[in-house]
Amino acid sequence: MYKIFTLSIILVVVQFLNAQTTISGTIVDNKNNTLPGANVLIQDTYDGTTSDIDGKYTFTTTESGKQILVVSFVGYGNYADTIDLAGGSMTIDIELKELFNELNAVVITAGAFEASDEKKNTILKPLDIVTTAGAEGDIYGALETLPGASKVGNDDGLYVRGGSDYETKTIIDGMIVNNPFYSTIPDVPSRGRFQPFLFKGTIFSTGGYSAEYGQALSSAVILNTEDMPDFSASGISLAPIFIGAFHTQKFKNEKTALGGGINYTNLALFDNVYQPSTFDWIKSVEAGDANLFFRQKTSKTGIIKVYAQKETSNFKLRTPDIDSVPLTDDIELGNNYNYVNASYRELLKPKWGMQFGVSYSSNADEILADGFNISRGDQAAQAKVAFNNELTPKIKLRYGTEYQNQHYEQQFADLLFEVTENFTAGFVESDIFITNDLAGRIGVRAEHSSILNEVNLAPRVSLAYKTGKNSQVSFAYGDFYQTPQPNFLYTTTTFPLTYEKATHYIGNYQYITNDRTFRIEGYYKVYDNLITQTAIVDNPFVFDYQNEGFGYARGIDLFFRDRKTIKYADYWISYSFLDTKRKFIDYPESTTPTFAAQHILSLVYKHYFPTINTQISGTYRYISGWPYYNPNNPQFLGDVSPELHNLAISVSYLTSLWGNFTVVFLSWDNAPGFDQIYGYEYSADGLTQFENKAPIKSTIFFGLFVSILHGNDRRVNDLDIDKSAE
Amino acid sequence: MKNLFTLIGFICISSLSIAQSAKFNDAMTKTLAELDTCKTGDQFMSLSNKFERIALAEKNQWLPFYYASLSRVTAIFIYNDPSKNDVILDVAEKHALTADSLQPNNSEIYVLRSMIIGGKIMVDPMSRGQQMGMQSMMLMSKAMSIEPNNPRAYYMMGRSLFYTPPQFGGGADKGCEMFNTSKAKFALFVPASPLHPNWGEDQLDEVMKQCSTTKPTGEGGN
């Protein structure tokens, strides 16, 4: 009895006299980098420690026997292993494997700039686009400050890497947009129709874009509209030439949002102050538009989005007739534009998503030139469905098909030209993450045009390799086809045509941290089957069209952005070098086209002054000049316009009106008043030279924007503070 | 004989379970004391890991998850390097949401979640400010409505107002008014246990020093 009692006492005592084990070691990743701050612990106990700055850890535990040692560190897979604790010391060195995390993985970037809030590696945020001086809230004005892109003279449209404006397409929610720019006539500048605030993200592809898109030889501006707004909101914009208002209501069920806006523009006041030098207004631009916005969440993962916009505008002006100097031409333009875009997105199964969309647009221009009636218009309808599958976390598949019906018409007095196109296309593309550092994309696109009655097959391949924690290289190769422009299609039954083609080879290196971005990209485009036209004697309206044009474009684009060095300052520098020649339309030989400048430099600087809640930004732009046609020069397009400089300054002052967030802005384009000559035009006899330049040298534009968020039933000012405690 | 073994066994088992909750209380008390002594960001990150170990071992206790999260939030303010915030706060948010699932409708957890969003705004105030600012505000309002006597909710709301320019609905006056309310509530506040959140009064006193120079107007001639 005494022995048993002693034994049990000993047992109890032994129970409380646990042996201590000391565990130490070093924690590294699969590249042998040490990991500080990792949590090392014995599972189901409190025992453990944090690895120090050298990745070393040491701790003592009173646990014994078989235990599980766990190490966790954000971004890496957990380590867990069974160990036997028997007192004394143990050394356990641990290697953690980096988790495949899409946010940190290599991103295929060749030929693309992404602006969105979602991805971490974006180069421009949507707000960057709106606050860039000189852009005046126009998406394309802001895209101009990125390398490879340029507006040319007074022309609407974006010219990318030696490509003409028709080679760039705008895509909203996956569907092509006809007429993304306001209607205008040559020499009268224009801007994009869609407000930047509509979009949550922009991908500006300067080449090598996804097989999901086509019909753009050079580039795609891919815009994605906002999904469900977080709050109901209203906004009012006011400027001497513009008044607009919108309201978006998010319903209490948190699943429906409905809104709309109206805008009215009248440039009369502006034209009184700024008289254009190259023409006279008879009636200033007057425009009105209304838009509708609808969102419905159909499930946790599904959403229906509808956007509709209706616009009308008109103006009348008087331009000098360059062929008979004292004479003038009166030109009047009236435009009606309708656009509807509806899409439905849903997750059919956990890793299988579907996007379905339809869009319709109609554009009609009525032009009266000296009493002579010209009208042109187009209607386009598109339906598209695309699926995306995550076959494994490292292999993704995207595929889909689309159908477009387009009708174009042009009427000169009694002469009507029209053409209808039934277009179908399909694509398949796969993103493969071979490792966390190496990713590839391979795809193919097939298109059929009813007018051309031909199928094209376009392969697209990209590769990206992460060379360091913040750096990567990326390559892209692809074929891009485009149906010739409508002007050439009206008579194509007589002259069978084929797709214009461009083959892209692109390579880039980029270094991106949270605050600094550096990117250098080289490209080589080979053009083939470009439309050539030769006049047929005695018939001014009919030409002989063939696909006998060809050309190349090659160059280097540089981009550097810094948000760290200067506090509250954000600046970026873009530089493009372009060498391009082509023979197309009526060019007698292959030469540098009229829209290609050899050097373009943009410098954007934004500085926020917190004490006065003001942001001041400036954009400097240098363009080395564009070739222009001089009938007196035997060398075709042998003359280049003078160097062009521009400095735009804008000031945004953030304040509040009745507790609502308000921005007062002022922008001054061409502040120094540089002479900006885009080129020259000559009278028919070649003797008189006219400057082709901006109608107004330097302009100031100001206005205010009020944003009213309806987030709560009660705003901060009205919070029910328990006053009894005071 | 049998009775003796049973008795010893019973003592061992019950002493074990007393040891377990005592162990939790003991570890939490010791680790909580470190909340006051830690100085550097790295120290707060290690402290967060300590709370995380307790949290993972216990599994059903919301307090260690809460403090693991709070330590990380404290760390980012000391580091003062917004580029690091997202990585650190993603884990803080995970812990806060776990605490929330274990103790829904807890005012302290809503205050914590509001602070986490505040930390995320610092990464890119120009882009994130408007939207996330609203979210942070709404979480704090919820904290206040669940527990109108939570001094920390008023303190953090006061901070937010104090450092927001008047143009956006903030200002020193509004902030200080909120601070006064918070101070009064601290005087009356009794935590549910020594382990329950009871922080903030020292920091409130520190920031209120800036208030003595901004008296609310409308008091008439002095």
Side-chain angles (χ1 to χ4, degrees), chain A residues 495-679:
Chain A
F495 312 102
L497 297 172
T498 183
Y499 299 96
E500 297 188 313
K501 179 181 179 183
T503 304
H504 296 192
Y505 304 87
I506 304 174
N508 82 19
Y509 165 79
Q510 69 181 36
Y511 177 85
I512 300 187
T513 64
N514 227 14
D515 305 309
R516 287 204 190 100
T517 301
F518 171 73
R519 182 180 160 122
I520 177 169
E521 184 161 290
Y523 61 90
Y524 179 58
K525 290 196 285 194
V526 181
Y527 286 99
D528 208 4
N529 297 332
L530 297 178
I531 293 286
T532 46
Q533 69 184 58
T534 29
I536 292 181
V537 183
D538 292 342
N539 195 333
F541 287 116
V542 183
F543 294 89
D544 179 19
Y545 296 121
Q546 300 289 336
N547 288 92
E548 283 175 357
F550 55 88
Y552 71 86
R554 58 191 180 200
I556 297 180
D557 287 344
L558 275 159
F559 181 81
F560 175 69
R561 184 179 188 187
D562 178 6
R563 304 197 310 175
K564 189 176 186 159
T565 306
I566 306 171
K567 201 172 184 196
Y568 293 117
D570 174 10
Y571 66 91
W572 72 81
I573 304 169
S574 300
Y575 168 72
S576 307
F577 171 75
L578 172 64
D579 166 28
T580 175
K581 284 192 167 62
R582 63 166 66 186
K583 178 178 181 336
F584 83 134
I585 41 175
D586 56 356
Y587 285 20
E589 65 209 29
S590 170
T591 184
T592 306
T594 56
F595 43 81
Q598 197 176 50
H599 306 277
I600 299 183
L601 175 71
S602 292
L603 173 58
V604 175
Y605 183 84
K606 304 182 190 186
H607 198 116
Y608 182 64
F609 296 91
T611 43
I612 53 174
N613 287 312
T614 302
Q615 180 177 73
I616 299 181
S617 60
T619 303
Y620 168 74
R621 201 158 162 78
Y622 164 79
I623 298 175
S624 60
W626 299 290
Y628 65 91
Y629 176 64
N630 179 354
N632 304 309
N633 188 340
Q635 192 192 349
F636 178 70
L637 295 183
D639 295 89
V640 177
S641 66
E643 293 182 338
L644 206 142
H645 304 264
N646 189 8
L647 178 65
I649 298 171
S650 77
V651 179
S652 308
Y653 170 60
L654 310 176
T655 178
S656 79
L657 277 181
W658 305 290
N660 295 304
F661 181 77
T662 302
V663 180
V664 181
F665 58 89
L666 182 140
S667 76
W668 189 10
D669 191 47
N670 194 10
F674 293 120
D675 270 318
Q676 298 171 334
I677 312 284
Y678 302 145

Side-chain angles (χ1 to χ4, degrees), chain A residues 111-116 123-152 157-161 168-172 180-181 191-192 194 196 199 201-206 219-224 557-559 572-576 600-604 606 619 621:
Chain A
F113 283 87
E114 179 146 354
S116 83
I123 285 180
L124 280 192
K125 299 261 163 60
L127 202 62
D128 295 327
I129 291 179
V130 176
T131 56
T132 300
E136 272 141 37
D138 176 21
I139 295 173
Y140 305 97
L143 292 178
E144 249 203 309
T145 61
L146 296 175
S150 175
K151 282 187 172 182
V152 173
L158 206 59
Y159 294 78
V160 177
R161 289 187 172 167
T168 297
K169 283 274 152 72
T170 301
I171 292 156
I172 295 179
F181 289 86
R191 54 183 284 135
F194 298 98
F199 306 110
T202 304
I203 299 177
F204 176 46
S205 168
T206 46
S219 93
V221 178
I222 301 167
L223 304 165
N224 286 303
D557 287 344
L558 275 159
F559 181 81
W572 72 81
I573 304 169
S574 300
Y575 168 72
S576 307
I600 299 183
L601 175 71
S602 292
L603 173 58
V604 175
K606 304 182 190 186
T619 303
R621 201 158 162 78

Side-chain angles (χ1 to χ4, degrees), chain A residues 354-399:
Chain A
M354 178 204 75
Q355 299 97 47
F356 172 71
V358 291
S359 72
Y360 172 78
S361 77
S362 77
N363 189 42
D365 287 332
E366 288 288 331
I367 300 170
L368 213 59
D370 287 334
F372 186 71
N373 201 308
I374 304 168
S375 54
R376 58 185 185 205
D378 59 83
Q379 302 90 45
Q382 179 177 15
K384 177 176 169 183
V385 66
F387 298 90
N388 57 293
N389 279 26
E390 192 177 297
L391 299 175
T392 77
K394 292 193 172 185
I395 302 181
K396 298 199 174 136
L397 194 66
R398 258 185 92 65
Y399 51 94

